[in-house]
Each structure stands twice: as C-alpha cells, then as structure tokens.
Amino acid sequence: MSHFSYKDGVLCAENVPLTQIAQQFGTPTYIYSKAALVENFSSYADACKKHGRNEETALVCYSVKSNSNLAVLNVLGKLGSGFDIVSGGELLRVLAAGGSPRKVIFSGVGKSREEMQLALSHDILCFNVESIPELHRLNAVAGEMGKLASVSLRVNPNVDAKTHPYISTGLKDNKFGVAYEDALTTYRVAAALPNISVTGIDCHIGSQLLDDAPLLEAVDKLIELIDTLANEGIAIHHLDIGGGIGINYDNDKPVAVGDYLSRVFAKIDAWRAKNHQDTPIKVLFEPGRSIVGNAGVLLTEVQYIKHGETKNFAIVDAAMNDLMRPAMYEAWHGVQPVLQRELAAQTYDVVGPVCESGDWLARSRELTIQQGDLLAIMSAGAYGMTMSSNYNTRGRAAEIMVDGASAHLIRKRESAADLFALESLLP
Ligand code: LLP
C-alpha cells in the first residue's frame, strides 16, 4: 500500500497534505512516511518469523548508507533492526540513534585504522572483510587493543546481478570482495591470525535487483563454500546475503520480499537437513532501498516555466545536489503534481537551478502545472539525502517524517552560514 496518495485532489503523506508541509517547512524538502518504513521493515521481520527464525537465527541489518537520518535509524532500531555500516561516521550515527552496536556489521573495502578502533571499542557484531591486507590491519589493531575481531569474508560469487553497471558489485572485474577462487586461501589466512575470529561469510552482488534468481544463485555458491570450509575445520556461523532487492520506480515489478526470504530459508533448511546440522546457521540481510526507497519523496516548487525552442522546462527549486540519481545513473523517478489541476498537460523536462546540463530530475514528462506549483519526486527515500551535496553553495534540504496526521522536522534545512562555518580566511 502506498502511503503517498491523493485525498480531495491533494497529494498527502499518510494524513498530511504536502501543501501543508511546504507552507510550514518550505521546499525542497524530503518527506518520509513512518508507516511505510515500518511496513517495509516488517516484510523482512515477518518473513523471518514465519520461517521460525528469531534474532539469534536471522538478523535484518538495515543498510545505513541508503538513508542515515537519525530518526529513520531510531524507528528501525526500535523494530529490532541491526545495521550495516560502511564508515565510522555511520557507526556514530547508529549509536546516536540508540542502535545496538552488537547488531552492527561493518562493510566496505577501505576501512581505516581509526574506524577499526572505533568499531572494536564498541564490540560490533562483525567486520565484513574484503581483502588480505585488511585482515592483517584488523588483526594488528585488534591485537593492540586486546580484542578479538569477529570476521566474515565478503566473497565475490561472480554472478551477474543484471542491474545498472554502477550498482552491480558481484562480478569479477569490480573492486569488491574476495574472488570466489581465492576464498579458501583467504579464510586460511584469517583462521591463522591470533586476533581474528572467523564467524561468517557474506556477499552483496548489487542493488535494485528485480529478480531474486541471482541472489539465490549466490546463496548456493556460498553454501558450497561453507561446506568446503567445514571440511578444513573452519566453522561458519552466519551467512550474510547482502541487500539488493529492488523497488518499483517505473512499472518495475520487484520480487516480493516475503517470497524472496521464503526461497532463501527453504534453500538453507534443505541444506541443513542434508548435513544434519543441529543449530541453524544464522542468516543476515542488508537491505537498504527496499526499506526506505518508496517511503520517501522529495517535495519541490516550480520556480519558472520556460518554453525553449525544442523543449519545455519546469525549473524547480530542487536540483542534482539534492537528488543525484538522475544525473549519475540516468535514474527514473516518478513526478506527481501535489495539486491535481484541470489544465491541458504539456511535456516538460524537470530541471534544477544548478549550472550543469546534467542537472535534471526527470525528462519528457506529461505534467499539468503552472509556476508556483508543488511537485513530488517519488521513490526518493533511498540514496537521495545521503548522496546530496552542497554544490553551488546550496544548503541541503530539510527532512520531515510524517506519522499519521503529524509532520515532524527530523533535519533542519541547512543555511548558507552552516555551509561555510568550518572555513577560515588566511591569517
Ligand atoms: N550491503 C552492501 C555491502 C552494499 O554495498 C549495499 C549498497 C547494500 C547492502 C544495500 O543495498 P540495497 O538493499 O539498497 O540495494 N547509490 C545507488 C545504490 C548504491 C548501492 C550501494 N550498496 C543508487 O542510488 O541506486
């Protein structure tokens, strides 16, 4: 069910008209629906429960990079979510939002010593390690601190996620993970290091996957490896399949989360029965987009309508610095006028004020709009605010979370003074 719908001709987030939010908080503004967040998280949590899994045997680690606002993290943490982080900064956000470090997994190819120290000092659940040099660094840092670092190796299963090349990560020729063929030797290195405790195996093959077949293929390949490792005396206690389930941007038909999880658990249970395992292996998921993507929109106001020689432009007050996805991936986001009008529709490119031809949010859209109208850029909850920048000295948008009939400010709009507060003149 969409939590963004028209009521009496006005687009609302749950029960709050977006016109009211524009009036109260201005534009551009990101707006999230709490009910949508809860519903999306529950589709994972409920599927785990349905398959007899509890927190000890399945953990959903929300991928913080998709939307890291403290209020979002807090809502998910209260629902029992763990967190997948990729920086020390994201760990500090999780802690500030009241998340448990014991449910944090740390991914990423370039962890610094400082980030390792921070994560070890909070006893996070696991480091997803991506290379042998990283293993050695982690072993050294843990040794200095008198800690034992729990490690999972990110294995590159070499399956084609069939998604945009920029967000496909499971193939041989990208920087992520340890090659499948090298996994065994890398595990042997890890197992021999004194301050490393091998606990898991993980992968993440890409993002915005509509079909779960590549993910299930990756699970098969990891299961095979777990058996090989067991024969070497290296016990794997958790299997982390990463994130990746897509959402509907433009008539996309992503697999239902519940169906995907059912197929994962069926596979794992069959393997468990075959191997006569007493305790089920713990399964981890790292979803981002499928939890927050369709829980958010970017609200913007039409500043000018410009009729060019070959095109009409709706120049709005949001830009590529607010929502980078169209410029970066030619991503498609729906555009909905907040007020439904009885005017003739025209075709527009929706563009921002930034001085770049790449500054567009949507192209060739039939819209019924006039100057001053509000537009909602849909499905903008994931990789929207987190990828935003201050290019052109534009303050980042405000963020609002709607809960029923209330709209809460969860991040103030940045002022110009905020943007240069850390800068200084020469003496
Ligand atoms: N785990 C790892 C290790 C990841 O690298 C990612 C996303 C996720 C989990 C979450 O994946 P999701 O469930 O959201 O697909 N900026 C791009 C997406 C980049 C994804 C990066 N990794 C976009 O706007 O489409």
Side-chain angles (χ1 to χ4, degrees), residues 308-327:
E309 239 170 74
T310 56
K311 278 186 162 187
N312 299 315
F313 295 99
I315 302 171
V316 300
D317 63 2
M320 66 188 285
N321 75 295
D322 299 299
L323 181 64
M324 183 85 136
R325 304 191 69 256

Side-chain angles (χ1 to χ4, degrees), residues 184-185 187-189 191 225-235:
L184 184 55
T185 34
Y187 267 106
R188 285 187 188 132
V189 172
L225 250 175
I226 295 174
D227 284 338
T228 312
L229 291 167
N231 290 335
E232 292 253 334
I234 300 175

Side-chain angles (χ1 to χ4, degrees), residues 39-220:
E39 189 175 295
N40 295 340
F41 181 83
S42 302
S43 61
Y44 279 89
D46 293 350
C48 292
K49 242 182 254 153
K50 188 173 141 203
H51 290 271
R53 305 275 171 154
N54 58 30
E55 250 185 34
E56 291 311 308
T57 52
L59 186 62
V60 182
C61 293
Y62 167 70
S63 189
V64 174
K65 67 170 85 68
S66 59
N67 186 321
S68 57
N69 184 288
L70 296 191
V72 170
L73 303 181
N74 176 259
V75 166
L76 295 173
K78 282 186 183 153
L79 296 172
S81 186
F83 298 96
D84 164 49
I85 60 162
V86 289
S87 69
E90 286 191 349
L91 175 54
L92 294 174
R93 277 185 177 275
V94 168
L95 298 174
S100 162
R102 291 299 302 148
K103 293 187 188 173
V104 166
I105 51 173
F106 194 167
S107 304
V109 293
K111 300 171 197 83
S112 69
R113 290 179 59 84
E114 293 71 25
E115 288 176 320
M116 289 174 174
Q117 280 161 354
L118 179 69
L120 285 166
S121 71
H122 288 282
D123 294 318
I124 64 161
L125 180 62
C126 186
F127 289 84
N128 288 353
V129 169
E130 306 216 14
S131 66
I132 291 181
E134 187 190 335
L135 273 178
H136 286 297
R137 176 181 280 182
L138 183 59
N139 180 59
V141 174
E144 287 157 18
M145 296 174 70
K147 297 265 184 186
L148 189 60
S150 293
V151 160
S152 154
L153 288 187
R154 176 167 176 179
V155 174
N156 197 333
N158 203 25
V159 302
D160 187 355
K162 298 190 177 69
T163 182
H164 191 289
Y166 282 15
I167 51 178
S168 181
T169 49
L171 281 168
K172 271 189 175 155
D173 57 354
N174 61 52
K175 69 176 178 182
F176 299 103
V178 173
Y180 194 78
E181 301 71 38
D182 301 337
L184 184 55
T185 34
T186 314
Y187 267 106
R188 285 187 188 132
V189 172
L193 291 170
N195 310 308
I196 298 283
S197 155
V198 171
T199 55
I201 188 164
D202 69 281
C203 71
H204 171 77
I205 62 170
S207 200
Q208 184 55 15
L209 274 73
L210 298 175
D211 181 9
D212 59 359
L215 287 159
L216 296 169
E217 192 186 329
V219 172
D220 281 334

Side-chain angles (χ1 to χ4, degrees), residues 327-391:
M328 194 154 166
Y329 316 114
E330 301 198 349
W332 196 100
H333 285 263
V335 177
Q336 304 273 355
V338 170
L339 290 181
Q340 291 176 312
R341 292 188 183 281
E342 301 290 319
L343 291 171
Q346 283 194 308
T347 307
Y348 293 94
D349 277 12
V350 179
V351 301
V354 163
C355 302
E356 298 265 357
S357 304
D359 179 27
W360 57 277
L361 297 174
R363 283 177 168 157
S364 302
R365 302 300 172 83
E366 292 280 303
L367 294 169
T368 306
I369 47 169
Q370 56 192 40
Q371 188 171 348
D373 275 4
L374 295 168
L375 297 176
I377 313 293
M378 308 304 289
S379 316
Y383 307 108
M385 186 66 175
T386 48
M387 289 175 70
S388 65
S389 78
N390 294 123
Y391 190 36

